[in-house]
Every structure is written in structure tokens, then in C-alpha cells.
């Protein structure tokens, strides 16, 4: 991609936001070098990596990425025999430890969710260098200090050093506690100069202690003297310190050599950690801008669902649906300035660059993006912070460069095509340029305010007009993209709302040709029709969604009801069997006692009477209900017809046939539910009867079909209450557990009257307003006892 295009579309600003989410210098380097790729397989791989990292963040919240350093320079120096500092070595150990934690974290996550092949492929390359890590940490603490335990020699030298230091301090403290010390010393303290212990002596008493002067105060009144009596002790202490430093260097050289031995493994660890840090930086940025993974294709198709410009705050930006490359390859956005045309242009361009760089895009799930060989942009954006040329000549320079290389794998973005010159010539030139790019097979989005180009989309196959909506009431753009509707001038309407007289406006209209006025009226009608269609589509989708949710809920409740019913029946039968068995055992005991009595006392109890009594007890046991499994039922063959009353065997519920939807499937009405049922799951009950009209209605039984809702909207108060009374009686006869009464909101008088009647009805258990999906305060839900 051209650096100029990346700057125009503000891809560098996206990278700046991405840098806020890296965890180490390794990830920062990867993010700074990020560029879009034109290789399809590479783009898909990048998107998979970002998506896997986003999945881990979504399920785990975070990943342990602390303690990572760029140790590649340290490793290179260790390979050539250089000595690493203690700080550099501890960075090596910390990076090894971090790689071990990340490897374990990813492997543990994969046990729960194995769909992270990219992350597993990365961590599989990590070789755990526990020995090197432990060797470094056993010798150096987290602050970079070499520990006494690094070697026995170092431990011995430091013990000697502490002993010598104690002896020197003891000698000096005895001096400063002497009777003359208060007079000769500036302060009764022991301090250090040039790594040697000294005391502060006043200038006039410099000869009293002898020894070596190491420093003096700013005023020259105090000299820091090493007394002659402790010079030898300080020399011995200094010798020990030199040996200590030599031992430390030996230890560091040894650890550096060990680091060099694992240079190959350490370079792989560093590369893997850089990739993982970068993957999760992309995932964190996606979470911040609420981005999703696009579906990539090679066919030049773009389908953005509610796409947003990533650099505009979410609470301010307007989301738009943008489709390109399927039914048309060119979108021409017309209309006045400051309407949001340029933002739309840059949204498509920037989302394309982000997708090809492996970043997720700020749009809803299901959005599709194409992998283009090149993206070209000629955008003179005065709204951008960066200054860009906007004269006709500068535009032409850019366009000439584009036309030299554009092909069928290109995405071209033209802003205000043909602007900056004579309108008639500019419009003609714009049409010619668009035709040339279209012939090359490129995908094109262009903006213009020339009215001559409004007819371009209607006269060219593969070209569609579009505009950005403008609200006449508020005199401001809504920034909503309207594909299929060309932009129109709002100058007359705006001028009228701003107070320009009708006389001036009518005169202006007279100067506009009849054809132009007709085109403007047609565009206005198209805009209104599109808005109305979108509103109705949204309402229809909401109704469909609510209906599907209701159907699923009712089906679930019905299944649960019959399962519970069968369970309770089986439980009751089991309890009944237990009771009978207990009674039979008791009866057997009584009969046994009677027989025993007869034998013992010659009682007059006849044997056949005892047998009859026992038989009657056995027959009292409940019989198990036969299985309702439709596969075991032997149903009589019947040719089903619409209107037949049937029984749905799997639900054990009656219903009626509506229509046959396939060779072996019917649509069945069960109460308010309509569902598709296999013919083998149906049992014929009876054919529909022709009902003759009678003066008086007969008594209604449980099979009487009553609607589950009563609509009273538009009824007079008295008539409505009469209908409610009759409807409640019918619903009770139909054994409905609950019904709905629709009274609307209105003034509330009808609602209050209906609810007052229902509260006082002996069969009503409870009433409530409908939920959000049931009609709210305009519906009363009635539950029966």
C-alpha cells in the first residue's frame, strides 16, 4: 500500500491507538511495523490470530504478559563472549519465566476450548529453559544485585568485608567519642569518601589525626580525613572489595556464557512473545472500539453492517450499511457538502486497510471485506487535522497516478471528483474518469456535488447512486447513507426555513428548468419511500422476532407441561400400587389368621368366600396406562384433509389441520400455535362438521374453539363490558388457564372498567398488565382459578 494512502485514510492514527494496548517493547515494535497485506492467505491468518486472542480475552479477561523484555541484543552479545550485566541477565530470566507462564496459560485454556490453533502453534515453539532461569535467579535478585549465595567464594569475601567494616567503624567511633572530639570534629559521625571510611575534622585540627585527606566541604572549614590509624584497615577492606568485584564478574561471565549456549531457543522465545503480545494488543483494541471479525473474500465484495469510523467516538459516530461489489461495482454519492460523504468514503477505505492488516473492523458480526491488491484514494479532506491539497491541479496529479496502475484488484476512493474547475467541464471529466476506472474492473466509491452526475447511476450498469440524508427540520445532516437515492439540493427549503421570502424563492424556482425540478421531486419521493420502507422493515423484523420468541416459549412450556403430566401420572400410579400392595399383604395376613382360627376353633368360614375376597383385592390394583409412543400406536389409515380434527401424539394434544406443506408433513393449529408435524405423528379424530345457523346457541363444551384474546378497541363502554362477560364465560367453558383482553390505552376509562369487572369475577384468580412483548398497558392478562 502507498504510504500516501495510509496517511490520507489515517491508518497511522489507528496504529497510534493500537500502541496503547501493547504490553512490552516487543509488541510495540510489531505494532509500529504493521502494514496491510494484499496476500489473501496471510490476511485470513492474521484475522484468525486476532479472533483467537479476542476469544481468550472474552472468556478469561486477561493473559499474563508481564515481565517480557527485548533480550535479543543481550543474547547476541553473549554469543560473541560478552559479559552481560546483572540487570540484563535478570531480564533474560524474567522473559523465560514469562514464556513459561504464557505457555501454561494457553495450554490450560486449550483443554477447555481447543479452537485456538494459532495460539497453540505459537506456544508449541516455546522451549522451557527452567535450568537457565533458575541459575540466574539463584545468583541475582529481582533488583539486579548478585546474591551471596551465587558462590561460596563470594559468600566468604562478603563475610570478611562485613567484619572489616565493623572493625573500621568501631575504631572511628571510639575516636569521635573521645573528650577532644567535640572540639576538633565538625560533626560526630562516620562517613565514606572514595569508598573509604573518614571523619569530618575542622580545618584548624587537620594535623591532630594525620592520615589522608579525601574531601573538604564547600566552605573549606571541614576536611574529610582518613586517620592514619585506620589506613591499613581501609586498605585491607579495599582489597576484599576488589576480590568481591572480580568474583562477581566471574559469576556474570559464567551466566552470560550459559545464556549464549541457548541463543537459538531464546531468539525463538522472544519472537513468539512478540507475536503473542501483538495478537493480544489487536484484541484489546478490538474490544475498545467494539469491533468484530470480518469475513474475508477474494471477489471484491464489501458488505458492512452498521459500520462506524474507528477514529470517531462511538457515542458520536453514525453507523451505516455499505454494500459494494455484488450487484454494482461503483457507488456515486451525490449531495451538498458537510453531509458526511467524506466520512463514509474514509470509513470504507480505513476498514479495508484494517481488515487487510489483521485488525477487526468497527461493524456488526457478519460484515464482509475483500482483499484488494491496492487501495487508492484522492481525498481533499478539509475536515481532517492534516492539511491536504484540494485544488483541481493537485487532484489531477493524484488521479493521473491512480489511472496508471489501477486494475480489477483495486479499490478506488474519489472525493469531490472533478471539483475545482468549471462545473460543466468538471462533471464531464468526472464521468469520463469513472467510466475509465469502471472498465478496468476496479471497485469505486466517489463523491460529487455536481447535479449532472445524478443521472450517471441510472445510465450505467453496475453503478448505483447514493446520498447522505439531510434533515430539513433541523437544517443539519443525519449522516445516514441512503444507497439507491441520489442527493438533492436543499437550498430552497433551507432558505425558506431561514426566513427568505416566498416571492424570492418562487422567482428562484422559475430560473430552474422543469426537468431539474422534476428530478428533485423524484429524489424527494425516493427518500421518503426509502425511509418508510426501512421503518416498516424494522417493525416487521421486531414483530417476527417477538413472534418467534413467543412460539419457542410456548412450545417449550407445552413440552414441559406434558412431561410433567406424564411424570405425575407415573408417580401417582406407583403410589397407588404401593398402597394396594400394602393392602393385599394386610388382607393375606387377615385371611391367614382366619384360616388358622377355622382350624383351631372350627369357625364357620367357608374356603370359597376367602378365595373370592382375595380375588377382589387383587383386581383393585390400578392398571398401567399403555405407552403413548406414536411408533407403538396402531392408528387406522386415514386420508387427511384440511380442517380435520387430529391428535398430535407426541404432545397428546388436539388440533386441526391447516394445510399440507410436504409429502408427509402438515401444518397444524394447536390453540394459538401453528407448527409443522409429521403425518405419522397424527391421529385422526373427526372431519370438520358443517354447522347450521341456529337462532339460539347450544351449550358449549370443552371442544368449543374460543380465541385466546378479546379485542375491545373501538367499542363503547357498555357494549365492551357485555362482550367481556360473555367472553369470560366462553373461555371458562373452553378450560383456558389464561386469556388476554385488549382494551388499548386511550383515556383509561375502558381499561379501568374492564379491570374492575374482572377483579370481582368469582372465577378470576389474578389480572395484570401485559409485558413489553405482550402489549404493555394496552392489554390485561387474565388468569383463572
Amino acid at each position: 500500500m502507498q504510504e500516501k494512502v495510509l496517511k490520507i485514510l489515517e491508518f497511522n492514527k489507528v496504529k497510534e491507538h493500537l500502541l496503547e494496548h501493547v504490553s512490552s517493547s516487543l509488541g510495540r515494535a510489531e505494532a509500529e511495523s504493521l502494514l496491510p497485506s494484499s496476500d489473501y492467505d496471510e490476511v485470513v491468518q492474521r484475522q484468525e490470530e486476532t479472533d483467537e486472542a479476542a476469544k481468550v480475552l472474552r472468556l478469561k479477561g486477561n493473559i499474563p504478559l508481564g515481565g517480557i523484555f527485548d533480550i535479543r541484543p543481550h543474547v547476541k552479545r553473549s554469543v560473541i563472549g560478552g559479559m552481560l550485566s546483572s540487570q540484563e541477565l535478570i531480564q533474560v530470566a524474567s522473559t523465560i519465566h514469562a514464556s513459561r507462564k504464557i505457555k501454561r496459560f494457553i495450554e490450560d485454556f486449550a483443554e477447555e476450548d481447543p479452537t485456538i490453533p494459532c495460539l497453540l502453534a505459537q506456544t508449541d515453539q516455546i522451549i522451557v529453559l527452567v535450568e537457565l532461569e533458575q541459575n540466574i535467579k539463584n545468583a541475582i535478585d529481582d533488583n539486579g544485585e548478585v546474591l551471596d549465595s551465587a558462590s561460596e567464594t563470594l559468600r566468604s569475601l562478603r563475610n570478611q568485608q562485613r567484619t572489616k567494616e565493623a572493625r573500621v567503624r568501631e575504631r572511628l567511633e571510639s575516636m569521635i567519642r573521645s573528650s577532644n572530639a567535640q572540639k576538633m570534629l565538625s560533626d560526630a559521625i562516620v562517613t565514606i569518601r572514595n569508598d573509604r571510611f573518614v571523619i569530618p575534622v575542622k580545618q584548624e585540627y587537620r594535623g591532630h589525626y594525620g592520615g589522608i585527606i579525601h574531601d573538604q566541604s564547600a566552605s573549606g572549614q571541614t576536611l574529610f580525613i582518613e586517620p592514619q590509624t585506620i589506613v591499613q584497615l581501609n586498605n585491607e577492606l579495599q582489597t576484599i572489595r576488589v576480590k568481591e568485584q572480580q568474583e562477581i564478574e566471574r559469576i556474570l561471565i559464567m551466566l552470560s556464557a550459559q545464556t549464549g549456549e541457548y541463543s537459538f531457543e531464546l531468539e525463538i522465545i522472544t519472537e513468539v512473545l512478540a507475536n503473542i503480545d501483538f495478537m493480544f494488543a489487536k484484541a484489546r483494541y478490538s474490544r475498545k472500539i467494539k469491533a468484530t471479525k470480518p469475513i474475508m473474500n477474494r471477489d471484491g465484495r464489501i458488505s458492512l453492517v452498521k459500520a462506524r469510523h474507528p477514529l470517531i467516538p462511538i457515542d458520536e459516530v453514525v453507523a451505516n450499511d455499505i454494500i459494494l461489489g455484488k450487484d454494482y461495482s461503483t457507488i456515486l454519492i451525490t449531495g451538498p457538502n458537510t453531509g458526511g460523504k467524506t466520512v463514509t468514503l474514509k470509513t470504507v477505505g480505513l476498514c479495508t486497510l484494517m481488515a487487510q492488516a489483521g485488525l477487526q473492523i468497527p461493524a456488526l458480526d457478519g460484515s464482509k471485506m475483500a482483499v484488494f491488491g491496492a487501495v487508492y484514494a484522492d481525498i481533499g479532506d478539509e475536515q481532517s487535522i492534516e492539511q491536504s491539497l484540494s485544488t483541481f491541479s493537485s487532484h489531477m496529479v493524484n488521479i493521473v497516478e491512480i489511472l496508471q496502475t489501477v486494475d480489477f484488484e483495486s479499490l478506488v476512493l474519489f472525493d469531490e471528483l472533478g471539483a475545482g474547475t468549471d462545473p460543466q467541464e468538471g462533471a464531464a471529466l468526472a464521468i469520463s474518469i469513472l467510466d475509465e476506472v469502471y472498465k478496468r474492473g476496479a471497485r469505486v466509491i466517489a463523491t460529487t456535488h455536481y447535479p449532472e452526475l445524478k443521472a450517471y447511476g441510472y445510465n450505467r450498469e453496475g453503478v448505483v447512486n447514493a446520498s447522505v440524508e439531510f434533515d430539513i427540520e433541523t437544517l443539519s445532516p443525519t449522516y445516514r447513507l441512503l444507497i439507491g437515492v441520489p442527493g438533492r439540493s436543499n437550498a430552497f427549503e433551507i432558505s425558506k426555513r431561514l426566513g427568505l421570502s416566498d416571492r424570492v424563492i418562487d422567482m428562484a424556482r422559475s430560473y430552474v428548468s422543469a426537468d431539474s425540478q422534476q428530478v428533485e421531486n423524484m429524489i424527494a419521493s425516493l427518500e421518503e419511500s426509502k425511509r418508510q420502507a426501512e421503518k416498516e422493515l424494522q417493525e416487521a423484523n421486531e414483530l417476527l422476532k417477538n413472534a418467534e420468541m413467543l412460539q419457542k416459549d410456548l412450545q417449550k412450556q407445552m413440552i414441559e407441561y406434558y412431561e410433567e403430566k406424564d411424570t405425575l401420572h407415573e408417580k401417582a400410579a406407583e403410589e397407588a400400587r404401593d398402597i394396594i400392595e400394602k393392602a393385599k399383604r394386610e388382607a393375606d395376613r387377615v385371611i391367614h389368621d382366619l384360616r388358622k382360627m377355622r382350624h383351631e376353633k372350627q369357625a364357620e368360614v367357608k374356603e370359597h368366600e376367602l378365595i373370592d375376597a382375595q380375588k377382589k383385592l387383587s383386581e383393585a390394583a390400578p392398571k398401567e396406562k399403555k405407552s403413548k409412543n406414536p411408533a407403538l400406536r396402531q392408528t387406522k389409515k386415514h386420508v387427511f384433509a384440511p380442517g380435520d380434527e387430529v391428535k398430535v401424539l407426541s404432545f397428546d394434544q388436539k388440533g386441526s389441520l391447516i394445510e399440507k406443506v410436504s409429502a408427509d408433513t402438515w401444518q397444524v393449529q394447536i390453540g394459538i400455535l401453528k407448527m409443522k408435524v409429521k403425518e405419522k405423528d397424527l391421529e385422526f379424530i373427526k372431519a370438520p362438521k358443517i354447522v347450521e345457523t341456529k337462532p339460539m346457541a347450544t351449550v358449549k363444551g370443552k371442544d368449543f374453539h374460543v380465541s385466546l384474546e378479546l379485542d375491545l378497541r373501538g367499542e363503547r363502554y357498555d357494549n365492551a363490558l357485555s362482550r367481556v362477560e360473555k367472553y369470560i364465560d366462553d373461555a371458562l367453558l373452553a378450560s383456558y388457564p389464561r386469556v388476554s383482553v385488549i382494551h388499548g390505552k386511550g383515556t383509561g376509562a375502558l381499561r379501568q372498567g374492564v379491570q374492575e369487572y374482572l377483579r370481582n369475577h368469582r372465577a378470576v384468580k389474578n389480572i395484570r398488565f401485559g409485558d413489553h412483548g405482550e402489549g404493555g398497558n394496552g392489554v390485561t392478562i387474565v388468569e383463572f382459578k
Side-chain angles (χ1 to χ4, degrees), residues 615-664:
K615 183 179 180 182
K616 289 178 180 178
L617 284 169
S618 299
E619 291 174 349
K623 302 296 186 297
E624 287 192 36
K625 196 172 182 179
K626 293 183 179 180
S627 171
K628 297 178 185 177
N629 190 332
L632 303 177
R633 295 288 297 266
Q634 296 297 325
T635 58
K636 184 179 178 181
K637 290 294 182 180
H638 173 75
V639 179
F640 292 103
D644 283 355
E645 186 174 343
V646 295
K647 187 175 186 179
V648 180
L649 299 177
S650 58
F651 291 123
D652 192 24
Q653 185 74 2
K654 292 181 180 179
S656 58
L657 299 182
I658 300 176
E659 62 178 346
K660 196 168 188 178
V661 294
S662 67
D664 62 344

Side-chain angles (χ1 to χ4, degrees), residues 413-468:
L413 306 173
F414 289 124
D415 188 31
E416 297 298 347
L417 185 61
T421 186
D422 176 75
Q424 189 171 1
E425 293 182 357
L429 195 56
I431 292 172
S432 178
I433 293 170
L434 287 173
D435 282 342
E436 177 64 22
V437 178
Y438 175 78
K439 290 176 183 177
R440 305 264 187 105
R443 303 296 184 262
V444 184
I445 303 179
T447 69
T448 181
H449 58 267
Y450 288 141
E452 291 85 353
L453 269 73
K454 293 178 183 178
Y456 182 81
Y458 295 107
N459 298 330
R460 302 293 194 281
E461 184 180 355
V463 182
V464 66
N465 281 317
S467 61
V468 181

Side-chain angles (χ1 to χ4, degrees), residues 45 68 158 248 261 264 267 286-287 317 336 338 372 511 563 604 616 622 624 655 659 696 715 749:
Q45 175 71 15
I68 298 175
R158 284 184 173 171
I248 289 175
E261 293 174 3
F264 177 74
E267 287 178 359
S286 296
R287 183 166 60 180
V317 69
T338 71
F372 292 102
Y511 296 142
E563 288 177 350
E604 289 299 325
K616 289 178 180 178
E624 287 192 36
E659 62 178 346
M696 296 282 293
E715 292 282 352

Side-chain angles (χ1 to χ4, degrees), residues 181-195:
Q182 186 175 2
K183 178 178 65 173
M184 292 184 290
L185 298 179
S186 299
D187 199 357
I189 61 170
V190 176
T191 185
I192 296 175
R193 290 294 186 275
N194 300 326
D195 290 334

Side-chain angles (χ1 to χ4, degrees), residues 100 276 346 506 509 519 527 568 674 741:
R100 188 156 51 86
I276 291 178
K346 297 181 78 170
D506 291 341
R509 289 185 190 276
V519 169
E527 288 181 350
L568 291 175
K674 291 182 181 179
V741 178

Side-chain angles (χ1 to χ4, degrees), residues 249-392:
E249 290 180 1
R250 186 192 69 79
I251 293 169
L252 295 179
I253 289 172
M254 179 188 67
L255 293 174
S256 300
Q258 291 180 15
T259 301
E261 293 174 3
Y262 293 103
S263 60
F264 177 74
E265 292 85 351
L266 289 171
E267 287 178 359
I268 291 177
I269 287 174
T270 307
E271 181 180 351
V272 169
L273 292 179
N275 292 337
I276 291 178
D277 186 8
F278 179 52
M279 288 165 63
F280 280 92
K282 294 189 292 182
R284 291 191 193 95
Y285 178 59
S286 296
R287 183 166 60 180
K288 179 183 178 182
I289 64 172
K290 297 182 179 179
T292 62
K293 174 189 173 184
I295 302 170
M296 306 305 300
N297 67 83
R298 301 172 176 172
D299 306 323
R301 292 188 178 185
I302 295 175
S303 178
L304 291 170
V305 183
K306 300 299 178 186
R308 296 170 278 109
H309 194 289
L311 300 179
I312 301 177
I314 294 177
D315 56 346
E316 297 178 13
V317 69
V318 175
N320 278 304
D321 296 340
I322 305 170
I323 299 174
L324 177 67
K326 183 180 180 182
D327 299 326
Y328 45 85
S329 62
T330 300
I331 298 177
L332 184 60
I333 308 176
T334 55
N337 292 329
T338 71
K341 300 194 302 295
T342 303
V343 172
T344 301
L345 210 63
K346 297 181 78 170
T347 297
V348 176
L350 192 50
C351 284
T352 299
L353 297 180
M354 290 174 66
Q356 294 187 209
L359 298 172
Q360 295 185 344
I361 60 173
L364 296 186
D365 278 327
S367 295
K368 301 176 183 178
M369 296 299 299
V371 176
F372 292 102
V375 177
Y376 301 101
D378 176 53
I379 300 176
D381 187 4
E382 298 176 357
Q383 302 169 33
S384 177
I385 296 176
E386 287 81 10
Q387 181 183 6
S388 56
L389 297 173
S390 57
T391 62
F392 175 75

Side-chain angles (χ1 to χ4, degrees), residues 578-594:
D578 291 342
I579 293 170
I580 296 300
E581 286 296 326
K582 183 177 179 182
K584 285 175 65 178
R585 287 195 297 270
E586 182 66 20
D588 289 341
R589 186 185 64 78
V590 172
I591 292 172
H592 178 270
D593 291 343
L594 288 172

